[in-house]
Amino acid sequence: MKVSGLLENKEFKCLNPQVGIEGVIKSGYVGDLLSWVMANAGNGCAWVTIQTHVNIIAVATLLEMTCVIIPEGAEVEESTLERAIIEDIPILTTGLNAYEVCKILGNAGI
Amino acid sequence: MSYELVFDVERGDFDTAGEASRKIKRTLQQLGISNKVIRKVSIAGYEGEMNLAIHSAGGKIILEVGEEELVLTIEDTGPGIANIDLAMTAGWSTAGDEVRQMGFGAGMGLPNMKNNADNFQISSKIGEGTKIVMKFLV
Ligand SMILES: Nc1ncnc2c1ncn2[C@@H]1O[C@H](COP(=O)(O)OP(=O)(O)O)[C@@H](O)[C@H]1O
Ligand SMILES: [Mg+2]
């Protein structure tokens, strides 16, 4: 599924719609400890994390992630969004929790 | 060695930390290095860069690109590591609350570096600093 496909679900909103949303989500990963994410997340993944500071964009860029999903309505810093636009990483937010996000990704065949 | 890049990393600079690793990644992409090797260097480089920002007084990252291997050196000017075996233990960390809240401090950085490098050497002296040399076969 592409990021644009996920955004058809109204539970999700893209905070930086000026970036490309046609990237394909190949896998998913959930985690808030950056070293664990660095060690284990696959490239092309959708990363679900409650971390919102600018370093998540460094991690997403270095691992060539497809998008970052911030659950439970957590607020994202402006500096993070600015960085995400430069690096072309879509940042999605949702009121759903991480488990509910994963259920949707799983039901979509990811 | 046919190519060398040097980056300075300051202590406490979390907002721009990751910049050196990003530049290294881009350079390796331009040189046509395989994605598999780039991923390893990116993980090891980012962990090293964050350790400089979090734990050291400041330091630098040096990338040397050779015909058969890439050498990534991460060195700083202090405070040094008292017990390297302990520091290398997965899960061991002295990171404070502030950086833990940002998702650092899992105590997995040095193990991640070792796991991703084909050769990993660390030396450290209290009061002088820490030097890590990692080699990656291309
Ligand atoms: N460059 C460094 N200078 C001083 N101490 C360091 C350095 N790098 C690592 N350490 C020490 O080793 C510990 C483990 O490092 P690491 O495995 O990267 O985990 P973390 O950074 O999550 O604490 C750190 O908590 C710190 O005490
Ligand atoms: Mg570390």
Side-chain angles (χ1 to χ4, degrees):
Chain A
M1 183 169 62
K2 291 180 175 180
V3 177
S4 56
L6 186 58
L7 284 167
E8 280 169 22
N9 183 326
K10 289 307 160 210
E11 297 283 358
F12 297 93
K13 182 177 154 215
C14 187
L15 294 183
N16 53 347
Q18 55 272 74
V19 305
I21 54 167
E22 296 309 314
V24 175
I25 301 172
K26 292 195 276 186
S27 62
Y29 191 84
V30 186
D32 304 321
L33 294 176
L34 302 187
S35 284
W36 282 93
V37 179
M38 286 304 283
N40 300 305
N43 72 325
C45 74
W47 174 26
V48 185
T49 182
I50 204 75
Q51 299 291 352
T52 55
H53 60 88
V54 66
N55 275 286
I56 64 173
I57 306 305
V59 171
T61 306
L62 288 169
L63 293 186
E64 303 192 352
M65 293 180 176
T66 298
C67 65
V68 179
I69 303 174
I70 311 291
E72 307 198 79
E75 204 152 312
V76 180
E77 282 95 317
E78 197 54 44
S79 56
T80 304
L81 286 179
E82 281 167 19
R83 214 352 119 178
I85 291 166
I86 293 170
E87 299 291 346
D88 207 28
I89 304 275
I91 306 286
L92 277 55
T93 53
T94 175
L96 302 175
N97 68 31
Y99 172 71
E100 292 163 335
V101 171
C102 292
K103 237 170 49 174
I104 288 170
L105 295 176
N107 287 339
I110 294 164
Chain B
M1 290 298 162
S2 54
Y3 201 98
E4 187 180 299
L5 279 177
V6 182
F7 301 93
D8 291 315
V9 180
E10 280 174 40
R11 176 181 176 81
D13 197 355
F14 302 118
D15 284 358
T16 55
E19 200 61 43
S21 305
R22 259 195 294 263
K23 283 182 182 153
I24 287 169
K25 181 181 177 198
R26 232 165 265 156
T27 303
L28 297 179
Q29 283 173 326
Q30 283 159 5
L31 291 170
I33 303 292
S34 75
N35 285 338
K36 205 176 141 194
V37 173
I38 291 177
R39 182 180 162 96
K40 291 179 180 186
V41 176
S42 295
I43 293 169
Y46 183 70
E47 292 286 7
E49 186 175 0
M50 292 320 303
N51 277 0
L52 290 182
I54 295 169
H55 305 296
S56 90
K60 58 186 170 189
I61 303 179
I62 304 157
L63 171 73
E64 295 162 273
V65 181
E67 292 285 313
E68 277 154 27
E69 63 182 14
L70 308 172
V71 182
L72 198 60
T73 304
I74 298 171
E75 57 185 337
D76 61 58
T77 54
I81 299 174
N83 184 335
I84 289 181
D85 286 341
L86 198 55
M88 291 298 301
T89 306
W92 192 84
S93 173
T94 59
D97 285 346
E98 192 198 347
V99 292
R100 280 178 197 265
Q101 272 165 20
M102 291 195 279
F104 300 111
M108 296 298 295
L110 292 169
N112 272 355
M113 288 187 236
K114 189 166 193 242
N115 289 339
N116 281 283
D118 292 302
N119 185 292
F120 173 94
Q121 306 281 347
I122 179 168
S123 55
S124 187
K125 211 165 174 192
I126 290 292
E128 287 182 19
T130 301
K131 182 174 181 178
I132 295 169
V133 181
M134 292 178 278
K135 293 181 179 164
F136 304 83
L137 302 174
V138 294

